[in-house]
Amino acid sequence: MSTRAPEPVCVVSFSSTHDAVRAELACTQAGVPGRIIPTPVQIHADCGLAWKMLPAARAAFEAAVAGAVEPAGYHDLML
């Protein structure tokens, strides 16, 4: 069994699954690196899905979802 060291990531939480899916579509179309993940237990959110990305991609994420999705929160974690 291999273990990998946790890395700093930015996790975006959402109020609904609909918002999470719209954000994923917007990011895919805009080429923003990241992916949908189950919301980590450290985050208390109404939706069970979150967007995980490297912290450097946050500005691109914000630009991609502007006007389409209002994230519930941005969380800097070690995952």
Side-chain angles (χ1 to χ4, degrees), residues 7-11 52-61 75-77:
E7 63 181 353
V9 295
C10 180
V11 176
K52 176 185 166 187
M53 62 189 157
L54 293 176
R58 181 172 170 169
F61 173 88
H75 313 272
D76 293 318
L77 303 175

Side-chain angles (χ1 to χ4, degrees), residues 9-67:
V9 295
C10 180
V11 176
V12 184
S13 58
F14 302 97
S15 298
S16 70
T17 302
H18 183 73
D19 283 347
V21 172
R22 281 196 306 179
E24 178 184 35
L25 178 60
C27 288
T28 300
Q29 291 174 342
V32 178
R35 64 185 179 99
I36 288 287
I37 63 168
T39 302
V41 296
Q42 302 95 313
I43 299 172
H44 301 285
D46 293 331
C47 175
L49 298 175
W51 180 260
K52 176 185 166 187
M53 62 189 157
L54 293 176
R58 181 172 170 169
F61 173 88
E62 290 173 338
V65 302

